[in-house]
Amino acid sequence: MSRRSTSGAVVAILLTALLTPGANAQADEPVADPIPTPTASGLGLEIEEVATLPQSTAVPPPTDVRLKQWNRINYFGEVPDRSGRTYVPDLNGRMYLLDHGTQHVYLDVGAAVGADFHTYRGLGSGFGFVAFDPKFARNGRFYTVHTEAGNALTTKKPDLPSAPDAQVHGVITEWTATDPKANTFAGTRREMLRIGFGTFIHGLQEIGFNPNSKWWDDDYGLLYIAAGDGGVGLRTTVPQDLGVPQGKILRIDPRGKNGVNGHYGIPAKNPFVGKPGALGEIYAYGLRDPYRFSWDAGGRHRMFLGHIGEKVVESVYEVKPGANFGWSEREGRFNYVKNDPSCRIFPLPADDAKFGYSYPVAGFDHDRLPTSRPCSDSGNALIGGFVYRGHKIPELRGKYIYGEGVKGYVLYANEREMKSDSMAATHSLMLYDKSGQRVTLQQLVGKERVDLRFGQDSRGELYILAKANGKIWKVVGARKFADCRTGHDFVWGATKARDWQPVTPAKWQFPGREVVLAEAGVARPGPRRPFEYAVLSKGPSFGSVRIDAEVRLDTPVEVSNRDVIIVFGYKSDTEFYYAHLSSDNKIYPHNGIFAVNNADRVRLDDQWDEARSVGALPAVKDAAWHRVSVKHCAGTGEIAVYVDGSSAPLMTAVNKTFSSGRVGFGSFDNIGRIRNLRVLGEGE
């Protein structure tokens, strides 16, 4: 996934082709770009800070810089007792209650565990998660996950098969509060389940109860457990082995007794109960690092899992009983080859169907730089979130909100498009602060590493957390990018020579319904800028404006680097904006939004990824007519370019260099034409 993660959508046919991973690749050839870069949605989330949790550190101080954040807050949820209290676990040991703005240390798990509590090595080590019993208000029970090392490795024995040389133990504990209404825990605890892991990574992650189940359902009160592969799956068959718990989703009954240690039960309807050699606790398998899961409160009440990938693909899965997600034979929808020195992935084999793997319903790839070491950490981690079913933000309803956690990108896929036979397209979401200023999480936390996480309250409203500065933001609204009112001055029917002022009139033709650039322009003295264009002289100069037209490139498709441009904010021959619509998106001058301000043109659009030298999807690749819309909001500086009727912008930018000006059409050194031009805006 690129650093600037908003690329535009072009045509549905193109996206459909791109969303068929490896469709044209040979089975023995690696897949270079498995999943399209998330496209710009043109939608932004309005976020408002609601809390800052205390600073904390691992003990002893970690050497891994990734663990050196303000704190390691990991989740945000609401206590299921109708009190309105919310809770936040910190991997460094403490659980906080937020009681209508007041913070309490409810429980110090690290202190309760003692010297064996392990938190200083491994990104998921420490107090990882908490899940409240659905009847907590009456029974006071809740469950936690933490890691242990030290003496625990020799004095305590895992309950389920584990690596003989385990580096850490993952422990699930049941706590019973004497007074469920209290803001500080007092009560009893009992260890329920202990699992050993071969390395310090990919241990026990989220635990939780299905919030959609009712007391009469078979699923009611059963605890789901996301168990990683312990970091050994890339070189072993552990995730595929039904005889071990690592790399699995487990489901247990906290109040049952027929588990191996008598401290929990195995639900009779678990899919592998009674299968020889298989653990009855397993609900689904074939996983590397199953980090976050949630249930959709609407639709078909599906369970979705955010899964952190190995070297190439990050995936969202739909979790069904008995599902095999393929790791480490598969990574996402691709063939994973163990010990491949370049850590690549390959197309699925022709006989893949016989294995019955369950493949992702959404996700993204790493978009590694050509200069990156093949098997180095790519700095990507998919953080699962929630399908929004709240009532305050209708624009989000039915969208599965998730993210890339390291850099803090917020994404979504439409739940209805998340199907077992194809991946839903992923779209990027912008962020706005309380004042309406567009921001990024990296800006808000002041660091490149954000460590983004998500939370949800009982009403289905969303929250965003960052370990980098320990803050929690509530998503309080949504706004459409470049959604300003453009005024009522209207220009159309500009097809006569008197309506235009070309740079070189002899190069232009006005046959009636079209305006034609019939001869390619040539470079002119002065700043680097489009060679040939015509400025619309009919009508006024515009402030905020919307430009709608159809454009066509007449340069043969065999020619590379074909382009036309839409000019706006025009002040003079060396002062204007332009949207560059090109068949190429691989070099700086092509397929983007630019400003010429008495100097060489400067690229403005969010989509340009300088490190990878790639921008938004090519806007015009053929000789057909294409609808183009350009929206410029003078007050905010927001600029959006749309192609072929898409509701999502192909390109976006924010710049306030020019607050008004005229519009125009042209090219650098190609020929083309424009028709059905309509300009609506605030005339000056």
Side-chain angles (χ1 to χ4, degrees):
M1 182 176 177
S2 63
R3 176 169 179 165
R4 306 182 78 177
S5 65
T6 51
S7 289
V10 185
V11 231
I13 294 175
L14 176 60
L15 282 177
T16 300
L18 288 172
L19 288 170
T20 305
N24 299 316
Q26 299 297 316
D28 57 348
E29 295 178 355
V31 180
D33 187 16
I35 303 174
T37 301
T39 61
S41 66
L43 188 64
L45 304 182
E46 298 173 344
I47 60 175
E48 183 176 312
E49 183 181 332
V50 294
T52 301
L53 277 298
Q55 189 173 13
S56 67
T57 57
V59 177
T63 57
D64 188 339
V65 295
R66 297 174 297 177
L67 274 66
K68 296 179 179 180
Q69 296 280 48
W70 175 263
N71 56 28
R72 296 170 67 206
I73 55 175
N74 217 23
Y75 188 73
F76 175 97
E78 185 170 332
V79 180
D81 62 358
R82 299 185 179 182
S83 67
R85 296 181 299 172
T86 55
Y87 62 92
V88 182
D90 182 336
L91 281 158
N92 288 332
R94 291 180 171 180
M95 178 167 67
Y96 299 93
L97 285 186
L98 279 58
D99 188 359
H100 301 89
T102 303
Q103 296 180 16
H104 305 276
V105 178
Y106 181 72
L107 171 65
D108 191 332
V109 173
V113 173
D116 290 338
F117 181 71
H118 174 83
T119 187
Y120 73 94
R121 185 177 178 187
L123 293 178
S125 64
F127 165 37
F129 212 84
V130 58
F132 285 83
D133 186 287
K135 295 180 179 179
F136 171 77
R138 283 184 285 172
N139 61 33
R141 288 195 291 267
F142 62 96
Y143 301 85
T144 62
V145 168
H146 73 270
T147 52
E148 293 184 11
N151 289 334
L153 300 179
T154 56
T155 61
K156 298 177 181 179
K157 183 180 178 181
D159 299 303
L160 295 175
S162 302
D165 55 347
Q167 300 297 302
V168 292
H169 289 172
V171 182
I172 299 176
T173 303
E174 179 186 83
W175 307 75
T176 303
T178 304
D179 179 8
K181 297 180 181 179
N183 283 322
T184 303
F185 175 79
T188 60
R189 63 170 171 144
R190 70 180 180 96
E191 182 175 311
M192 195 165 64
L193 180 62
R194 178 179 293 261
I195 299 173
F197 294 92
T199 74
F200 292 95
I201 60 175
H202 308 172
L204 293 181
Q205 301 290 11
E206 180 166 357
I207 57 174
F209 298 92
N210 180 355
N212 296 323
S213 62
K214 307 300 181 184
W215 64 265
W216 57 82
D217 295 331
D218 293 332
D219 206 31
Y220 186 75
L222 301 185
L223 185 67
Y224 287 76
I225 303 165
D229 68 359
V232 303
L234 77 168
R235 60 180 183 273
T236 71
T237 60
V238 162
Q240 292 294 313
D241 186 351
L242 290 173
V244 300
Q246 296 82 8
K248 314 296 191 299
I249 299 294
L250 311 176
R251 185 174 69 166
I252 64 174
D253 180 359
R255 308 309 297 163
K257 301 294 183 182
N258 65 335
V260 292
N261 59 11
H263 295 166
Y264 67 91
I266 299 175
K269 292 191 176 181
N270 274 6
F272 299 104
V273 168
K275 181 175 180 178
L279 296 179
E281 292 89 343
I282 296 174
Y283 188 78
Y285 67 111
L287 295 163
R288 177 184 181 268
D289 193 9
Y291 192 69
R292 287 288 179 265
F293 57 76
S294 65
W295 284 266
D296 184 0
R300 290 177 284 156
H301 300 302
R302 295 191 289 171
M303 179 182 181
F304 292 116
L305 169 69
H307 183 264
I308 299 176
E310 176 60 31
K311 298 299 181 185
V312 182
V313 174
E314 305 288 310
S315 301
V316 178
Y317 293 102
E318 180 182 357
V319 180
K320 296 181 179 180
N324 179 359
F325 302 110
W327 177 252
S328 55
E329 302 299 321
R330 302 287 184 268
E331 184 174 355
R333 291 176 177 264
F334 302 91
N335 193 23
Y336 180 83
V337 178
K338 292 183 175 68
N339 302 316
D340 178 66
S342 62
C343 295
R344 301 168 297 180
I345 54 176
F346 296 81
L348 297 175
D351 63 348
D352 181 68
K354 73 179 184 182
F355 298 102
Y357 295 129
S358 295
Y359 287 128
V361 294
F364 54 84
D365 66 18
H366 293 179
D367 283 341
R368 298 178 69 88
L369 297 176
T371 55
S372 299
R373 288 188 293 111
C375 296
S376 61
D377 186 352
S378 69
N380 290 268
L382 189 150
I383 305 300
F386 305 89
V387 177
Y388 182 80
R389 301 292 182 183
H391 298 286
K392 292 186 177 180
I393 313 175
E395 298 91 338
L396 298 184
R397 286 179 190 155
K399 292 177 171 58
Y400 177 74
I401 310 297
Y402 71 110
E404 194 291 301
V406 178
K407 294 172 282 294
Y409 300 137
V410 184
L411 311 167
Y412 79 82
N414 288 306
E415 181 268 331
R416 289 186 177 182
E417 298 175 5
M418 298 168 71
K419 301 177 182 179
S420 58
D421 58 350
S422 63
M423 291 178 66
T426 287
H427 310 273
S428 61
L429 287 163
M430 300 174 182
L431 297 177
Y432 291 87
D433 65 16
K434 190 176 181 180
S435 69
Q437 181 75 24
R438 198 179 77 161
V439 295
T440 67
L441 283 175
Q442 289 180 330
Q443 292 171 339
L444 289 176
V445 305
K447 297 178 68 174
E448 288 191 2
R449 187 179 184 93
V450 173
D451 275 337
L452 160 75
R453 301 295 185 269
F454 294 98
Q456 187 181 51
D457 64 23
S458 63
R459 294 163 296 282
E461 302 304 325
L462 296 173
Y463 295 77
I464 293 172
L465 299 75
K467 294 180 184 178
N469 63 355
K471 292 186 181 298
I472 300 173
W473 297 269
K474 183 177 182 178
V475 179
V476 295
R479 64 170 61 196
K480 186 177 180 181
F481 185 76
D483 196 30
C484 58
R485 295 184 178 181
T486 54
H488 303 286
D489 293 298
F490 185 50
V491 176
W492 66 285
T495 57
K496 296 180 175 59
R498 66 173 179 265
D499 299 330
W500 297 84
Q501 293 180 343
V503 171
T504 312
K507 296 181 183 293
W508 292 81
Q509 297 175 1
F510 302 90
R513 295 179 57 195
E514 304 169 0
V515 175
V516 181
L517 173 56
E519 184 180 337
V522 294
R524 294 174 289 126
R528 184 72 174 177
R529 63 200 188 280
F531 298 168
E532 185 65 36
Y533 58 85
V535 175
L536 181 67
S537 56
K538 181 179 181 179
S541 176
F542 290 95
S544 293
V545 66
R546 173 168 178 157
I547 307 161
D548 291 285
E550 292 178 85
V551 300
R552 193 179 88 184
L553 259 165
D554 293 339
T555 301
V557 294
E558 294 79 13
V559 177
S560 62
N561 304 335
R562 303 157 68 239
D563 76 274
V564 291
I565 65 165
I566 301 293
V567 173
F568 56 103
Y570 180 89
K571 298 288 190 182
S572 73
D573 185 39
T574 58
E575 299 170 297
F576 58 92
Y577 292 120
Y578 66 93
H580 190 274
L581 309 172
S582 176
S583 59
D584 172 73
N585 68 339
K586 301 291 186 182
I587 61 175
Y588 179 86
H590 289 176
N591 215 60
I593 300 171
F594 296 83
V596 178
N597 187 22
N598 295 310
D600 288 354
R601 66 332 191 208
V602 174
R603 188 156 190 159
L604 307 175
D605 56 287
D606 300 310
Q607 286 64 48
W608 177 246
D609 181 349
E610 183 176 4
R612 296 174 54 240
S613 189
V614 65
L617 293 172
V620 181
K621 298 185 70 174
D622 52 29
W625 286 98
H626 292 273
R627 286 181 293 161
V628 176
S629 296
V630 177
K631 185 83 173 286
H632 176 214
C633 296
T636 62
E638 293 179 327
I639 302 167
V641 179
Y642 302 82
V643 175
D644 290 329
S646 173
S647 61
L650 176 66
M651 308 167 193
T652 57
V654 177
N655 186 270
K656 293 186 177 182
T657 302
F658 307 116
S659 60
S660 63
R662 291 191 171 274
V663 303
F665 170 75
S667 177
F668 265 82
D669 54 358
N670 288 271
I671 56 175
R673 60 191 67 204
I674 187 170
R675 71 183 184 188
N676 295 330
L677 173 66
R678 295 171 180 265
V679 184
L680 178 66
E682 297 174 348
E684 295 186 333

